[in-house]
Amino acid sequence: RGLTMASSIESDEKEYTESVKKVFNRRAEGYDTTDRWSEFHKAHADILISNSSIEAGHTVLDLMCGTGMAARRAAKLCRKVCGLDLSPKMILAARKATHEEGLTTARFEVCDVSSLTVDFLEKKGLPTKFDRILCVSALAYLIDPAGAIRRWAKFLSPGGKLCISGFGEEFDIRSHCINLAAEVCNIPQKYPNEATGDTHKCAMLLEQAGLCVSRVVWEEQLQLPESYTAKHLNSTFDKILKHPITMRWAGSLSDPEVAKLRSAFQKISEKKETEGKGKIMNNRKAVFFVGEAIATAASTEEGEKKHGEAAGSGYKVKKGHTVDGFARVSSGSTFESLASYSRAVVVGKQVHVSGTTGYDYSRMIIDPSAVVQAEQCFVNIAEALSIAGSHIDRVFRIRVHLASIGSNKNISI
């Protein structure tokens, strides 16, 4: 039964991949010009490039590149660009546009980047390490965004950056409304932009891939091309339901379930129209986030020895920024960037851990119990110390702040 289930999942994934390929093969012609999203995507590419700090000597990889909007912009700034996309027609369009622009440093190949391998790159005669890896407004199409990002991070050179753009959960009002309707109907579903729904989620995607979070920027000026009335929005229901991303959870619904979903969708759109005084606007924010594969002295055996002599400790810092025995370790918490502090700081032989709360990052919750929070604090501290090359058994001083002094007895046990 296990083999049958695995085969079924694999078959579903292949079917989904093929449906996405068909969508973008169909949109390839005119994607840069007549497509209603064209100006939006150009602006998206411009902003991501401006956040990528691409330099003349860099090698850049553009994943899910489409017609190469970002890749072509990058090709004007650096020595070599490679663009990969699932859609053969998108790749043909990218090659044509590159030729027309007279760009000689960009190359495009067909590839399912969710399973990108070193073998594929080597067979195509492409680099296997890159200074910048880009992914523009395409993450929602991946079945496992976190897994893909972990895979992509392995192709970064030391000090390289993974630069991604995505959307908040409510960005496309049509898909947002149909997901809300599914919740009302108790239909299991998945928001297309769930992985990038807020600042913390974006940061965690990078941290889980072993990258240091360089920046997470929300852009409020990027808007979808149109607003809707409830009547107009309701007329798009069937089209939304057939979109590959929605079909991942809606494809198996029965006719009665679809009818129930349609009714809930109509009520939600009418409510939003009333709230918007006659208009349902697409005005949700887009997000741009950058993770860095920090180049530390511990990256090589020779460097590790040099780093150990300089720091006097032999720390192997996996996340953070290391200079002459000083290192910062980041957990990806949004409060670290807001308040300008680090989860841990390595100075010589000492590791200072600060600002640790009882937040459970594996489940994205904080338990109401002070005792459970205290236990989780030590889990988080232990992880930070491990990243810094130390261990919780070596802790010699700790300071605890309580919201209520009445919790002291239970926590102290």
Side-chain angles (χ1 to χ4, degrees):
R1 188 172 66 178
L3 287 175
T4 303
M5 184 177 292
S7 298
S8 176
I9 292 171
E10 185 176 346
S11 175
D12 289 344
E13 289 181 357
K14 286 182 178 179
E15 184 177 344
Y16 170 71
T17 300
E18 285 301 312
S19 67
V20 172
K21 185 191 297 185
K22 288 179 181 178
V23 166
F24 285 97
N25 276 339
R26 186 174 64 248
R27 293 178 62 186
E29 186 177 356
Y31 191 79
D32 288 6
T33 52
T34 58
D35 191 282
R36 67 187 183 91
W37 291 75
S38 60
E39 294 304 315
F40 169 83
H41 284 305
K42 289 174 185 176
H44 228 233
D46 285 336
I47 295 174
L48 187 67
I49 292 295
S50 69
N51 278 283
S52 301
S53 307
I54 295 173
E55 299 176 4
H58 283 169
T59 297
V60 176
L61 177 63
D62 185 9
L63 298 172
M64 305 172 80
C65 67
T67 58
M69 287 183 183
R72 285 181 275 134
R73 284 158 173 76
K76 298 173 183 177
L77 303 172
C78 65
R79 71 183 182 90
K80 189 168 187 177
V81 178
C82 307
L84 305 177
D85 195 275
L86 182 69
S87 163
K89 290 191 177 181
M90 281 286 188
I91 290 298
L92 287 175
R95 290 170 179 169
K96 180 181 177 183
T98 301
H99 176 72
E100 290 173 350
E101 293 178 26
L103 300 172
T104 59
T105 59
R107 181 177 166 186
F108 298 91
E109 298 290 346
V110 176
C111 175
D112 180 357
V113 300
S114 64
S115 55
L116 180 63
T117 63
V118 171
D119 285 345
F120 172 85
L121 295 171
E122 289 179 339
K123 286 178 181 178
K124 292 293 182 179
L126 298 172
T128 57
K129 291 291 182 180
F130 298 87
D131 301 295
R132 296 291 182 270
I133 297 178
L134 314 176
C135 180
V136 185
S137 63
L139 209 62
Y141 284 92
L142 293 173
I143 293 174
D144 180 16
I149 290 174
R150 287 195 297 271
R151 178 184 293 270
W152 299 345
K154 297 176 182 178
F155 297 98
L156 284 172
S157 300
K161 293 182 179 181
L162 176 60
C163 311
I164 301 173
S165 68
F167 310 106
E169 287 185 359
E170 302 178 15
F171 190 83
D172 183 350
I173 195 66
R174 298 170 303 169
S175 62
H176 179 59
C177 285
I178 207 164
N179 281 90
L180 289 177
E183 286 182 3
V184 170
C185 299
N186 294 317
I187 297 172
Q189 42 74 43
K190 186 177 181 66
Y191 278 83
N193 300 307
E194 184 176 357
T196 56
D198 58 43
T199 301
H200 182 75
K201 288 180 179 180
C202 294
M204 288 302 294
L205 283 173
L206 299 174
E207 284 287 326
Q208 289 166 3
L211 302 175
C212 176
V213 181
S214 294
R215 66 180 65 181
V216 179
V217 180
W218 286 92
E219 173 59 63
E220 299 189 44
Q221 302 305 314
L222 288 178
Q223 297 186 1
L224 299 186
E226 73 271 62
S227 62
Y228 296 91
T229 62
K231 183 178 180 180
H232 183 194
L233 194 64
N234 290 334
S235 71
T236 67
F237 177 84
D238 291 318
K239 184 177 181 180
I240 303 166
L241 210 63
K242 293 176 182 177
H243 190 280
I245 292 177
T246 312
M247 283 292 288
R248 281 160 55 184
W249 59 266
S252 60
L253 296 181
S254 65
D255 288 343
E257 286 175 321
V258 171
K260 186 178 180 182
L261 185 67
R262 186 191 300 275
S263 176
F265 181 84
Q266 290 172 347
K267 290 177 181 178
I268 289 169
S269 63
E270 288 165 4
K271 180 181 178 182
K272 286 191 174 293
E273 183 182 56
T274 301
E275 293 172 346
K277 299 179 180 180
K279 286 187 176 181
I280 306 172
M281 297 296 296
N282 268 315
N283 57 358
R284 304 302 181 183
K285 294 182 291 186
V287 65
F288 302 84
F289 51 110
V290 179
E292 185 171 357
I294 294 298
T296 69
S299 298
T300 64
E301 291 184 7
E302 181 181 352
E304 184 175 316
K305 180 180 179 181
K306 181 179 179 183
H307 180 65
E309 292 171 352
S313 61
Y315 289 126
K316 298 179 182 178
V317 182
K318 299 177 183 177
K319 304 176 187 175
H321 183 57
T322 306
V323 180
D324 296 332
F326 172 84
R328 293 193 298 269
V329 177
S330 171
S331 69
S333 169
T334 56
F335 293 103
E336 291 179 28
S337 58
L338 289 172
S340 298
Y341 75 96
S342 298
R343 170 66 67 241
V345 176
V346 182
V347 183
K349 294 183 178 181
Q350 294 187 342
V351 185
H352 304 267
V353 183
S354 69
T356 306
T357 67
Y359 196 88
D360 184 346
Y361 292 98
S362 65
R363 296 186 295 159
M364 306 302 287
I365 62 170
I366 187 163
D367 195 282
S369 166
V371 174
V372 174
Q373 287 184 35
E375 292 171 346
Q376 185 63 46
C377 278
F378 282 100
V379 171
N380 296 343
I381 290 169
E383 182 180 0
L385 290 172
S386 175
I387 291 168
S390 188
H391 193 275
I392 199 164
D393 290 345
R394 300 175 186 173
V395 171
F396 65 90
R397 182 186 299 165
I398 187 166
R399 179 178 295 171
V400 180
H401 296 272
L402 303 177
S404 171
I405 193 64
S407 305
N408 180 54
K409 184 177 180 180
N410 290 334
I411 290 176
S412 299
I413 295 175

